[in-house]
Amino acid sequence: MASYELKNQATANTEVRISSGYPTKDHDNADLARLGKKPVLKRNFGILSTLGFSCTILATWEGLFGTFLIPLQNGGPAGAVYSYIFAWTGTACSFAVLSELVSMAPTSGGQYHWCAMLSPPRWMKPLSYITGWVTTIGWMSGFTSCAFMAGTEIQGVAILAHEYYDPKPWHGTLIMWATICLALAINGVGGKLLPRFETLVLVIHILGYFAILIPLTYMSDHKSNQEVFKEFVNGGGFATDGLAFFVGMTGCVFAFAGGDAAVHMAEEVANATVAIPRAVLLSVLINGTLGFTMLIATLFCMGNIEEAINTPTGYPYIEIFHQATDSIAGAVGMASVLLIIAVCSVIGMLAATSRQFWSFARDRAVPGWRLWSQVSPRTCTPTYSILLTMTVACLLGLVNIGSAVALNGIISMAVSGLYMSYLIVAALLMYRRCTGAISLYNSGDDMLVNVPGAKLMWGPFRIPGIWGMLINGYAIIYMTIVVFFSFWPSEMSVDKTTMNFSVVGTMGTIILALIYYVLRARHVYQGPVVDLHR
């Protein structure tokens, strides 16, 4: 009886959409029901707030300043330019693939759900389980990295502003904790606060770009074309400049990391099958353009490279601002714009990370899933998942007190974890593309679709024909390169201060997840749980 009523409801929802001419809340719930999920979160995000959410988590031009040291040491100015172009094109193709997938199945689970629906039946459970865990690793590491960078950037500005300040590692950890607590306060309120906040941050994101670009280009001395476009640096002592180029490229890749953030908010976005692909692709276009122009401007206006790399603040951009303005007050003012956006990015990162973990717990894949999958009836947010995400990041922040090198490995884990999950689903989508197993979009179909064992169907957004194959293929090549070099150290001669520990963290977590799978998860995890039967 319930199945019959649900079927009639879905049909009615489809009729509402056709007759009214625009998507409705009922339409979104019907799309979610076709994936077998109950709507338990409120859809407070629209296209503009989703775009703001995606843009400010990517924060490409701001993120470049935070990771500027990596391509400067391995690649130099010219390497930074060309690695950015490669990262931009590869990211655009990767996000186009993700946009196709979220249009097919707009759930907070994202990658592990897509893996489950695209995998051959015999590989569905273990492959989707591992994909879910590497996504969790990537997002937990990404959130920790974002909060750590926000805290230590504030500390770096304090070093510049106060000559007698004696910085300690635990100072950066405490500031990081304060940033996370602010993110918790905004995420814990629920309602329309977060979407409205993200819309405001989008404005700051764009206006802040001009607040940095104009004084930087106007007040600084300019370098020559030769110094910017032809000067390579192999600071890591690698065998070839090409190898140094790919190692340094991870800095540009990290500036684009987090493109699937809007995906994990899918169950809180109105008209998700269309709004999220638009927001994701627009964010790549907007952030890519702002980031590239800011990179070129910074390289032309950068003073002494050695002083920028060896600055006591820990962030070359602070020294670049100081050299450009020849004023501590001016440099602090310009850096403050980046600090505001960095803190705002932490707020969005907490939301995306907690939703991804909540969805994975909802499908019984993590220890204690009954607790982490609960949703607050008052705020309609996964409160326990938010608290766990915050706690994990705060504990990882303690690593900085003992070793900043080990915490830098957590930053690399964000890249390796996220791109491993992208790579798995992109390869599976290419496999299904080649076999022609995905049928064309049909808005009137009220059957279960895009879940394990059900029919595969494109969403409203897809790239048809040969272009879809080429973009999908290029994305796979790019992701493979990114994952491979995300485990490399920054120098050829490795010691405990230059070792990249991300391979230990990533593979160690996967091994622990596999142990849990053998002991417990294989009995309770069956892939994405179908709450509703059509």
Side-chain angles (χ1 to χ4, degrees):
M1 183 67 178
S3 176
Y4 175 79
E5 291 175 354
L6 182 59
K7 183 175 180 179
N8 287 341
Q9 181 186 356
T11 305
N13 292 338
T14 304
E15 291 170 354
V16 169
R17 181 182 61 173
I18 294 171
S19 61
S20 61
Y22 57 87
T24 67
K25 178 181 177 181
D26 289 336
H27 158 62
D28 288 313
N29 290 342
D31 281 343
L32 191 59
R34 292 165 72 187
L35 300 171
K37 296 296 184 184
K38 296 178 182 178
V40 294
L41 305 178
K42 287 188 176 179
R43 296 187 182 272
N44 294 315
F45 280 81
I47 179 63
L48 188 60
S49 54
T50 305
L51 177 62
F53 185 85
S54 186
C55 279
T56 53
I57 285 186
L58 278 182
T60 302
W61 72 265
E62 301 94 335
L64 273 174
F65 283 121
T67 58
F68 203 45
L69 185 61
I70 300 174
L72 277 185
Q73 287 180 324
N74 289 297
V81 172
Y82 303 124
S83 64
Y84 183 94
I85 294 173
F86 181 48
W88 189 8
T89 57
T91 301
C93 292
S94 301
F95 287 5
V97 171
L98 297 183
S99 296
E100 289 183 302
L101 289 166
V102 74
S103 188
M104 292 174 67
T107 74
S108 298
Q111 290 92 308
Y112 81 87
H113 183 107
W114 304 335
C115 179
M117 75 183 189
L118 295 171
S119 296
R122 63 177 298 187
W123 295 107
M124 185 276 291
K125 278 180 56 177
L127 197 55
S128 65
Y129 177 81
I130 290 299
T131 302
W133 269 107
V134 296
T135 307
T136 301
I137 293 168
W139 271 106
M140 288 289 184
S141 302
F143 173 60
T144 303
S145 304
C146 187
F148 169 71
M149 290 175 64
T152 51
E153 283 177 24
I154 293 173
Q155 187 181 29
V157 172
I159 294 171
L160 176 66
H162 299 281
E163 182 180 355
Y164 300 104
Y165 169 52
D166 182 20
K168 303 294 184 185
W170 60 269
H171 295 173
T173 298
L174 286 179
I175 302 171
M176 170 189 175
W177 287 358
T179 304
I180 292 174
C181 288
L182 175 62
L184 174 65
I186 293 180
N187 276 271
V189 172
K192 295 184 178 296
L193 177 61
L194 184 59
R196 290 171 178 170
F197 178 81
E198 294 298 338
T199 303
L200 174 63
V201 177
L202 177 61
V203 176
I204 299 174
H205 172 67
I206 296 174
L207 294 181
Y209 166 83
F210 294 102
I212 299 295
L213 183 70
I214 293 172
L216 180 65
T217 54
Y218 180 75
M219 301 181 70
S220 63
D221 297 326
H222 296 169
K223 293 182 176 292
S224 65
N225 293 341
Q226 174 76 23
E227 292 175 291
V228 173
F229 296 109
K230 295 184 179 180
E231 184 176 327
F232 280 87
V233 174
N234 188 349
F238 292 98
T240 64
D241 288 344
L243 195 56
F245 168 87
F246 282 110
V247 172
M249 184 188 71
T250 56
C252 296
V253 173
F254 185 78
F256 280 107
D260 58 318
V263 169
H264 302 300
M265 304 298 291
E267 295 177 41
E268 298 170 63
V269 177
N271 194 23
T273 56
V274 175
I276 294 179
R278 288 177 180 174
V280 169
L281 294 178
L282 278 174
S283 67
V284 177
L285 176 62
I286 294 171
N287 277 311
T289 303
L290 297 182
F292 185 68
T293 50
M294 183 63 77
L295 174 64
I296 297 297
T298 303
L299 292 174
F300 268 106
C301 300
M302 185 169 57
N304 188 298
I305 297 180
E306 290 299 322
E307 289 183 9
I309 291 176
N310 299 311
T311 174
T313 65
Y315 289 94
Y317 78 85
I318 299 177
E319 179 61 27
I320 292 171
F321 292 166
H322 186 210
Q323 292 179 18
T325 61
D326 196 25
S327 165
I328 291 178
V332 169
M334 292 173 67
S336 296
V337 175
L338 294 175
L339 299 183
I340 292 171
I341 299 174
V343 172
C344 293
S345 295
V346 175
I347 296 168
M349 288 284 285
L350 177 57
T353 306
S354 61
R355 268 49 166 200
Q356 189 278 329
F357 186 80
W358 163 77
S359 182
F360 203 34
R362 176 178 58 177
D363 289 323
R364 307 171 186 173
V366 299
W369 57 268
R370 288 183 177 86
L371 177 64
W372 313 128
S373 61
Q374 292 183 28
V375 174
S376 168
R378 183 179 63 85
T379 62
C380 294
T381 58
T383 305
Y384 291 112
S385 180
I386 292 173
L387 290 173
L388 178 67
T389 302
M390 181 201 78
T391 303
V392 170
C394 288
L395 292 176
L396 288 174
L398 292 171
V399 176
N400 179 53
I401 298 176
S403 172
V405 175
L407 192 56
N408 288 335
I410 296 175
I411 295 176
S412 296
M413 285 172 62
V415 174
S416 59
L418 288 175
Y419 275 87
M420 281 174 69
S421 69
Y422 299 165
L423 177 60
I424 292 170
V425 295
L428 288 171
L429 181 63
M430 176 63 87
Y431 161 69
R432 293 296 187 178
R433 259 195 164 102
C434 292
T435 58
I438 309 176
S439 61
L440 295 178
Y441 174 65
N442 178 8
S443 61
D445 192 341
D446 63 346
M447 297 173 58
L448 276 174
V449 295
N450 298 333
V451 293
K455 174 183 174 184
L456 287 175
M457 186 172 69
W458 290 110
F461 173 82
R462 78 180 182 101
I463 304 172
I466 189 64
W467 287 108
M469 300 280 285
L470 291 175
I471 289 173
N472 202 157
Y474 183 71
I476 291 173
I477 295 171
Y478 169 73
M479 294 172 194
T480 303
I481 293 172
V482 169
V483 170
F484 179 71
F485 282 101
S486 68
F487 297 118
W488 279 61
S490 58
E491 297 181 13
M492 196 66 181
S493 300
V494 179
D495 56 30
K496 65 179 182 180
T497 62
T498 58
M499 175 63 183
N500 185 344
F501 290 96
S502 64
V503 64
V504 178
T506 302
M507 296 306 169
T509 307
I510 291 174
I511 291 171
L512 291 175
L514 288 174
I515 293 173
Y516 176 69
Y517 181 80
V518 172
L519 296 178
R520 171 65 176 165
R522 64 192 176 95
H523 301 296
V524 294
Y525 178 72
Q526 302 298 326
V529 174
V530 176
D531 298 318
L532 301 172
H533 295 277
R534 311 307 298 272

